[in-house]
């Protein structure tokens, strides 16, 4: 939300085009080139994770699944092939995933090839001509899970 507000301010002030990049996709793009499936994983709190699967194809990161929020046990059941996990969810759930997935679980040794910001920049650069926008109405933030207020309002 803060980043979107900052972007809107820049666009209004400069009139320059922009484009949005999905956080989980940018996170997957930080992983060094590999033939393995990649799981971008963020701790969503409330005993859940934000996650999506990706894979490199022709040197480019390609999405294999939609973003979703789920308990880590559900994610564990979704992993059926060797997978590189990346993201803050590893600190919270990595030990559990490793214990249950065994050889299907791996993490990037050391640092990845890019920072998150650099990965997002490279993704944007590759798509900018085709997907850039001047209309702030086109900026869509993908809220995977309802906010606490929306959940309480529904009760």
């Amino acid at each position: 939300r803060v980043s979107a507000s900052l972007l809107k301010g820049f666009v209004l002030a400069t009139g320059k085009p922009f484009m949005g990049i999905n956080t989980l996709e940018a996170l997957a793009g930080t992983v060094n080139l590999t033939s393995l499936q990649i799981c971008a994983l963020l701790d969503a709190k409330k005993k859940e994770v934000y996650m999506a699967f990706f894979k490199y194809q022709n040197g480019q990161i390609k999405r294999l699944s939609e973003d979703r929020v789920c308990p880590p046990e559900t994610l564990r059941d979704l992993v059926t092939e060797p997978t590189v996990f990346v993201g803050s969810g590893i600190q919270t759930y990595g030990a559990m995933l490793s214990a249950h997935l065994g050889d299907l679980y791996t993490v990037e040794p050391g640092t990845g090839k890019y920072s998150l910001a650099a990965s997002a920049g490279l993704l944007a650069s590759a798509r900018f001509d085709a997907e850039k926008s001047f209309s702030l109405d086109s900026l869509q933030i993908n809220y995977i899970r309802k906010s606490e207020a929306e959940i309480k309002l529904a009760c």
Side-chain angles (χ1 to χ4, degrees):
R1 292 178 185 156
V2 172
S3 297
S5 296
L6 181 63
L7 174 64
K8 287 180 179 185
F10 283 140
V11 171
L12 288 171
T14 65
K16 301 285 186 188
F18 69 93
M19 69 172 297
I21 296 295
N22 178 280
T23 301
L24 292 173
E25 185 176 10
L27 187 58
T30 67
V31 174
N32 289 310
L33 192 61
T34 178
S35 61
L36 300 180
Q37 174 176 265
I38 299 166
C39 180
L41 180 65
L42 296 174
D43 187 350
K45 305 298 182 197
K46 302 180 184 181
K47 299 182 182 178
E48 293 183 316
V49 295
Y50 295 119
M51 56 78 55
F53 292 113
F54 299 87
K55 201 165 205 173
Y56 278 104
Q57 295 175 355
N58 300 318
Q60 302 295 315
I61 201 76
K62 299 294 179 191
R63 180 177 287 280
L64 300 178
S65 71
E66 293 299 314
D67 296 350
R68 68 184 288 181
V69 62
C70 62
E73 295 80 13
T74 299
L75 166 60
R76 177 192 68 207
D77 295 341
L78 294 172
V79 176
T80 59
E81 64 182 89
T83 302
V84 177
F85 287 80
V86 61
S88 66
I90 293 170
Q91 284 87 18
T92 309
Y93 299 108
M96 180 275 289
L97 291 168
S98 177
H100 284 85
L101 294 173
D103 292 341
L104 299 181
Y105 177 89
T106 188
V107 294
E108 184 88 47
T111 59
K113 65 178 181 174
Y114 301 115
S115 67
L116 183 60
S119 176
L122 288 168
L123 289 168
S125 176
R127 301 176 188 160
F128 193 73
D129 288 336
E131 298 179 30
K132 68 183 174 196
S133 177
F134 289 91
S135 170
L136 290 174
D137 292 335
S138 71
L139 180 60
Q140 299 295 316
I141 301 172
N142 182 14
Y143 294 111
I144 303 169
R145 178 174 65 196
K146 291 182 178 182
S147 71
E148 192 69 28
E150 290 172 310
I151 293 169
K152 287 182 179 180
L153 184 64
C155 290

